[in-house]
Structures are given as C-alpha cells and as structure tokens.
Amino acid sequence: MRGEERVWKGLSKGQQTREAIVAQGLLTAAREGLGAISIGRLAKELRMSKSGLFLHFGSKEKLELAVVEQALVQFLGHVLKRAEDDQLRGIERLWSHCDAWLDFVEHGPFPGGYFFTGVFFQTAKQNGPIPRLIRGAVRNWIDALEEAAKQARAREEIKTDTDTQEVAFELNSILLGAQWSHLMTGRDYTNARTTILSKFRSWAAEEIPEKAFRSVKAWKVYLANRDGRAGK
Amino acid sequence: MRGEERVWKGLSKGQQTREAIVAQGLLTAAREGLGAISIGRLAKELRMSKSGLFLHFGSKEKLELAVVEQALVQFLGHVLKRAEDDQLRGIERLWSHCDAWLDFVEHGPFPGGYFFTGVFFQTAKQNGPIPRLIRGAVRNWIDALEEAAKQARAREEIKTDTDTQEVAFELNSILLGAQWSHLMTGRDYTNARTTILSKFRSWAAEEIPEKAFRSVKAWKVYLANRDGRAGK
C-alpha cells in the first residue's frame, strides 16, 4: 500500500519527507514569519530527529529558501493559473489576475496572505537568494498585469493612450491597500473589487457600456453576454 | 567634559548607553529586518560585553520592543509633526500628512522606509507586545488621516457626502503602492504626489478651482494664495 502510494505520487520517500518538512515550515512562516522557522522546532513538530531533518536541507538558509520557493509557486500558481486555464485575454484577463489575487489572500493557504507582502517589504533592498527569489516573483506578477493591460489596449478595450505600466502599478496598489485595510479592520475585499472596477471604467474605451462597471455582478454579466455575442 | 555633556543631555550614563543600543539596533533592523537583531551582534558592534548589554534590556524581546518603539516614535513624530507645528487644518493638513509620509520614506532614517510596512504585514495577525505596538501606531496614523478628512469635510473643502474612512484608506493605499513601486523599480515619489492630488480633485468641493490640482507646484501656489486671501 505504502509502495503503491509512493509510485502513484511519483515521489521517493526522501522527496516525500522533504515536502512534508517544507509544508510544515510554510505553515509556521505564514503564521509567525520566516524568522520563526528553525530546524529544532520543525523536527519536534514532525517528530523527526534534528540530524535527520538537517540531512534534507543542510542549513537553515536552504530550508528557508525551500519554504519561500514553495510559497511563491503556490502564490503565482493560484493568481495566474485561472486566466491561463480559461485562456482569458485583455481586460478579462486583467480582472481575473486581480480577482484571483484577492481570492488568494481571502481563502488561500496563508492566513491573511500577508506572508509575501511582509517579506517583500522587509527584504526588498537586501541581497541574497531569498530577496532575489521574491523580487523575481513580484516581477513576474507585475509583468503579468502589464501584459494583460497591453492586450486590453491592443484589443481596444481600454483607451489607446493608456499607460499600461501605470495600470499595473495602480491595480497592485489597490490590492496592497485592501490587504492592509483587512489586516487593520477586518473589512472584507468587496470594496477592493468595486474600486478596481471603477478604475477599469476610467481606463475603458467607450465601447464598454458604463453600467458594466457598476458592480462585480454587472461586470460578470457584461463579460458573459459579450462572449455570447461573439458566438462563443 | 563628559559630565557636562551628560548634564546637557539630561540623561544618565545608563540612559545614554541604552539609547546607543537602541539606535544601533534600529539601524540593523531597518537594513536587515527585526530578526537580524541579536544581543551578541549589538554587543560586538558597540564594543560592549554581552552581559553588559543584557543588563540594559534583560531579554532579546525587550530589546526588540525598545527598537520598534523608537522606530514608531520617529515615524509618527515625523509624519504628524509638520501639520501640528504649522497648525494646518482640513485638506491642507491631509496633504501635509501624506507629503510628510512620502518625505519620511524618501529621506528618513530607514533605508527605503520599508521597516514598518514589512513588520506590519508580517505581524498584523499575531499577538504579543510588538504586533500590538505596531497596530496601535498604524491606528494612530489612519486616525490622523481620517481626522484631517473630517475637518476638510466640515470646512466644506471636500464634498459633504465624502466617506472620510474611505479617504483615509485610499490615501494609505496610494502611499503603500508608491513605496512598493519604489522598491521594485527605483522610481521616485513624484507620481504618488500627483496621484494624491487627482484623488483630492475627485473629492473636492467645487469652490477649489480645478487647476489647483494639476501639479504639486500648482497646489502649493493655491494653498499660499488662499491663505493670503484669508488675510493670514
């Protein structure tokens, strides 16, 4: 049975143990920050020997790096995957990225989702593998936003003179602000979504009727009908 | 001479040493994060014995707390002091708070000013004295923004139906986004200031001429002339 499981998962026992260690480390880091990870603590939580755990990573730094790597894979996987799977384009893709980002901090595996934001702000000006990894992921994220905005501009969904880098920065700023407000006041992310739609309205080409931006529901109805009209 | 200095500063030698330790800790935390502070490291940097340094704080936690406390005093002192000193009111006070916040992250004692933002996002959902202290300071900051917005509304500088909590959150979100963009791309904070002015324009009562919001310079000219007209 155990053997079968291993074959099914396609992972050696060593890889499985490594994954379990990273998963436990991620849980700790998400709750208490990256600094809270220690080989001793994880060994205790996983009922392993410290030397056994050490064998898998060799150093605390490598363990931290594996945890951050895993966190980033989950984050980027979640926020960019939906648009990819559904082959969304242009303004719909832009919306999907933002909506999935909010969904990740609302319902994702990290409580509050403040893990990256915190580590990013704390390490952005530092050197070393972890800051580099995080900067790279953040770069991927902002590039994905800008790319979708460029598509929207090419498809004439947003005005042809729109500054797409500015679009990416403004959307990201709304998301950060929403996360901050949630952490401070516990308010949900409804406001963030309507703020994003009002931004969309200010950028949108005249072809999109103004009422499409009035609420998240109206926006979804607009997208669905638009696809319908296109005979999809 | 040493005695005179002590009298002049009004601090005992013990207090002076304590301040020097906190200052050094703050420098380290600002550059490398709060986790980088250790009694051993600070003792080395300050050429003190570990036990001597330990005497002043008793624990790493108390040292960290003193560092965060000092950081927050500097931060709130800087960002709220200007409006207080100049007895600014309403929309001018709101502008001063935001402008001073940007000025603090641009030219303040912490490189990039990402120290609080990082610690806030990492600890916002945790318990303990440091998260509590930071939440309290962040609460002070957001309250100061909202208070100024309420003044601006009472003085009919902004529309009477403006949601002042929303004003505070939106301004804070622009500031966070600007800091983030600076950390990612090195861009300066000019954009943030014009974005804030365009927000002001959308909230402003009709009495303020639209051209006042066109640039930071135009805004300053407007404020100066307005005071002039009021016979101040």
Side-chain angles (χ1 to χ4, degrees), chain A residues 44-218:
Chain A
K44 207 172 168 186
E45 286 168 346
L46 293 164
R47 294 162 191 243
M48 291 176 65
S49 67
K50 274 173 81 166
S51 55
L53 201 144
F54 199 79
L55 264 182
H56 285 276
F57 290 96
S59 72
K60 188 174 178 317
E61 284 66 38
K62 282 183 186 156
L63 173 59
E64 282 183 1
L65 194 62
V67 166
V68 171
E69 214 158 26
Q70 177 60 17
L72 293 175
V73 165
Q74 287 192 22
F75 173 70
L76 288 177
H78 183 95
V79 296
L80 304 180
K81 192 173 180 298
R82 196 202 301 168
E84 218 43 67
D85 286 352
D86 297 349
Q87 299 194 309
L88 304 177
R89 293 285 171 268
I91 200 166
E92 193 167 8
R93 186 178 186 89
L94 198 59
W95 168 258
S96 169
H97 287 343
C98 296
D99 189 45
W101 192 100
L102 289 169
D103 185 60
F104 186 81
V105 296
E106 280 173 308
H107 307 295
F110 314 129
Y114 54 91
F115 180 66
F116 305 101
T117 317
V119 177
F120 172 74
F121 276 104
Q122 283 221 323
T123 67
K125 289 213 166 173
Q126 291 172 30
N127 289 314
I130 291 179
R132 260 201 302 278
L133 198 62
I134 291 183
R135 273 197 298 270
V138 168
R139 169 56 51 206
N140 281 349
W141 159 244
I142 208 78
D143 283 351
L145 283 181
E146 196 177 345
E147 199 50 48
K150 278 183 185 163
Q151 271 183 10
R153 194 173 59 186
R155 295 158 63 99
E156 295 181 25
E157 293 167 328
I158 62 174
K159 295 185 196 92
T160 49
D161 62 351
T162 310
D163 179 338
T164 53
Q165 193 190 38
E166 206 47 44
V167 166
F169 282 1
E170 284 194 37
L171 289 174
N172 187 63
S173 151
I174 293 170
L175 298 173
L176 284 179
Q179 195 179 13
W180 186 94
S181 303
H182 171 72
L183 290 172
M184 268 313 280
T185 66
R187 63 149 71 180
D188 70 16
Y189 292 93
T190 313
N191 249 4
R193 289 188 169 87
T194 53
T195 307
I196 289 168
L197 286 181
S198 75
K199 272 287 158 195
F200 276 21
R201 186 178 55 195
S202 73
W203 296 320
E206 281 186 14
E207 262 179 43
I208 305 182
E210 203 154 323
K211 67 174 183 185
F213 303 104
R214 274 186 208 153
S215 68
V216 175
K217 197 177 160 191

Side-chain angles (χ1 to χ4, degrees), chain B residues 121-147:
Chain B
F121 276 104
Q122 284 221 323
T123 67
K125 288 214 167 174
Q126 291 172 30
N127 289 314
I130 291 179
R132 259 200 304 279
L133 197 62
I134 291 183
R135 273 197 298 271
V138 168
R139 169 56 51 206
N140 281 350
W141 159 244
I142 208 78
D143 283 351
L145 283 181
E146 196 177 344
E147 199 49 48

Side-chain angles (χ1 to χ4, degrees), chain A residues 4-69:
Chain A
E4 273 174 40
E5 265 175 13
R6 243 183 282 155
V7 171
W8 179 73
K9 281 196 176 177
L11 289 176
S12 71
K13 184 137 192 311
Q15 283 171 313
Q16 283 182 35
T17 309
R18 202 176 185 280
E19 284 202 351
I21 297 168
V22 171
Q24 185 66 31
L26 188 47
L27 208 64
T28 304
R31 283 187 189 139
E32 301 172 39
L34 207 55
I37 296 180
S38 79
I39 289 187
R41 176 174 170 172
L42 287 187
K44 207 172 168 186
E45 286 168 346
L46 293 164
R47 294 162 191 243
M48 291 176 65
S49 67
K50 274 173 81 166
S51 55
L53 201 144
F54 199 79
L55 264 182
H56 285 276
F57 290 96
S59 72
K60 188 174 178 317
E61 284 66 38
K62 282 183 186 156
L63 173 59
E64 282 183 1
L65 194 62
V67 166
V68 171
E69 214 158 26

Side-chain angles (χ1 to χ4, degrees), chain B residues 75 78-80 82 94-114 141 145 171-182 187-197 200 216 220:
Chain B
F75 173 69
H78 184 95
V79 296
L80 305 180
R82 195 202 302 167
L94 198 59
W95 168 257
S96 168
H97 287 343
C98 297
D99 189 46
W101 193 101
L102 290 168
D103 185 60
F104 186 81
V105 297
E106 280 173 309
H107 308 295
F110 313 130
Y114 54 91
W141 159 244
L145 283 181
L171 290 174
N172 187 63
S173 152
I174 294 169
L175 298 173
L176 284 179
Q179 196 180 13
W180 187 93
S181 304
H182 171 73
R187 62 150 70 179
D188 70 15
Y189 293 94
T190 313
N191 250 5
R193 288 188 169 86
T194 53
T195 306
I196 289 168
L197 286 180
F200 276 20
V216 175
K220 286 182 179 164

